[in-house]
Amino acid sequence: MSIKKIAIIGECMVELSGQLFSSMQQNYGGDTMNTAIYLKKLAGQSVDVNYVTCMGADTLSTEIIKQWQKHQLNTDFVLIAPDKQVGLYMIQNDVQGERSFQYWRSDSAAKYLVTHPDFNHIVALLSHFDAIYLSGISLAILSVKDCNTLLEILTKLAHQGVDIIYDSNHRPALWASDEHCKKTNKVMYALANLSLLTFDDEVQIWADNNITACHFRLHKAGAQHVLIKTGADGCQYSNKNTSEPRYFKTNKVDNVTDTTAAGDSFNAGFLAYWLHGNSIEDCAKAGNLLAGQVIQHRGAIVGIDTDSIKTSIIGR
């Protein structure tokens, strides 16, 4: 099996959780980082997972990069901005256990990835990759100008034969405007060879009446391969030549503890098999099985049983 090279573009932040003005736990998190780590866990040496971002030169940035390396992610494409720092967010739980978030990322290093003096060198190297994965968050944190620049770069890379993979992962507060959000997503739908989307996100952006209308709108916009996640109901796949979407159900999970990284881990499982040209059925099954494991544990990054996933797919 040949090794596939994928670049994952995004932002990973320091996470604080615990009691205010008391002991707090430090961790890290971010949608694209979650996907990167789980993809590497499941695919192992068959996929070279490269994380592309910009970090500060501060102690937190340095230590968090070391943590990524422990997960065997390639950090050669992590740029350093000496005058910036890593973003930070804090999780708090109310008496009912509901989680709320506060963010300090308005001037984080990742926002300046595109304008970093070494970014063009990275772009030149990415033309030799098999795929590039990014999310709506990866684009929304950038200025409008930098976002448009990155879209132009991705368009050129796609024309050079690099597969673009996109998850809209909608966070309304991050976008400069609804118009910018919709315009950017339209470009990404048409650009991406594979769109890994969540139905609820698409409804927030476009107010689709149902999932069939969502598939239709996406293909009308130029989307090639579309996978729409519907949580516990599973997922649906369609391509531009499909008359009707194919439905793939999830395995029932009784002990749902934390759904924080459900979509991110599903994407990782799907990509682990998609990158090697496996069937859509195998890709969707891997995604559902991996997400099913993750949601049974608290936290975004947890230990997983990769052997059971591989055995389940081989023996289906």
Side-chain angles (χ1 to χ4, degrees), residues 58-72:
D58 56 289
T59 303
L60 280 173
S61 292
T62 301
E63 289 302 316
I64 202 171
I65 293 170
K66 290 179 181 179
Q67 294 297 315
W68 302 343
Q69 293 167 345
K70 289 180 181 179
H71 287 287
Q72 299 182 14

Side-chain angles (χ1 to χ4, degrees), residues 66-303:
K66 290 179 181 179
Q67 294 297 315
W68 302 343
Q69 293 167 345
K70 289 180 181 179
H71 287 287
Q72 299 182 14
L73 301 183
N74 190 328
T75 57
D76 291 348
F77 292 169
V78 176
L79 300 176
I80 303 300
D83 60 335
K84 301 297 177 183
Q85 294 180 326
V86 61
L88 181 148
Y89 68 96
M90 182 171 64
I91 301 175
Q92 291 177 272
N93 294 81
D94 62 21
V95 291
Q96 283 80 34
E98 292 295 324
R99 290 159 38 117
S100 61
F101 297 82
Q102 286 181 275
Y103 293 90
W104 293 265
R105 75 196 307 181
S106 60
D107 196 43
S108 68
K111 292 173 65 71
Y112 300 92
L113 172 67
V114 174
T115 56
H116 193 286
D118 294 331
F119 185 63
N120 286 336
H121 175 66
I122 287 179
V123 171
L125 296 175
L126 291 181
S127 64
H128 302 290
F129 274 52
D130 295 291
I132 295 172
Y133 171 91
L134 71 163
S135 73
I137 295 176
S138 309
L139 294 163
I141 64 171
L142 304 175
S143 69
V144 173
K145 179 181 179 182
D146 289 353
C147 177
N148 290 335
T149 298
L150 183 54
L151 292 177
E152 292 173 1
I153 289 170
L154 292 172
T155 301
K156 291 178 181 178
L157 289 169
H159 289 160
Q160 293 171 348
V162 182
D163 280 347
I164 308 299
I165 303 165
Y166 181 63
D167 180 351
S168 58
N169 206 2
H170 188 52
R171 299 293 184 272
L174 292 178
W175 289 100
S177 66
D178 288 343
E179 180 183 3
H180 175 53
C181 170
K182 289 182 176 180
K183 181 180 179 181
T184 300
N185 274 281
K186 280 185 177 180
V187 173
M188 288 305 303
Y189 299 145
L191 185 60
N193 184 44
L194 171 64
S195 297
L196 293 168
L197 311 171
T198 299
F199 182 56
D200 288 346
D201 287 339
E202 295 302 298
V203 170
Q204 271 198 305
I205 303 171
W206 303 101
D208 294 317
N209 291 324
N210 53 62
I211 196 167
T212 301
C214 185
H215 280 283
F216 179 80
R217 172 183 54 77
L218 289 162
H219 291 303
K220 186 177 180 181
Q224 302 293 309
H225 297 272
V226 171
L227 192 290
I228 301 179
K229 294 163 283 185
T230 55
D233 292 331
C235 60
Q236 290 190 13
Y237 165 81
S238 64
N239 64 51
K240 62 179 181 179
N241 301 316
T242 304
S243 56
E244 289 187 9
R246 296 176 62 190
Y247 169 67
F248 301 97
K249 66 179 182 179
T250 61
N251 294 328
K252 185 178 179 181
V253 175
D254 295 321
N255 184 31
V256 177
T257 302
D258 186 352
T259 61
T260 299
D264 306 330
S265 55
F266 175 94
N267 290 357
F270 193 96
L271 289 175
Y273 285 83
W274 170 272
L275 291 169
H276 288 288
N278 288 269
S279 69
I280 297 299
E281 184 176 0
D282 284 349
C283 296
K285 186 169 187 178
N288 284 327
L289 288 172
L290 180 50
Q293 287 191 30
V294 171
I295 63 176
Q296 296 181 64
H297 304 275
R298 190 166 299 283
I301 305 299
V302 302

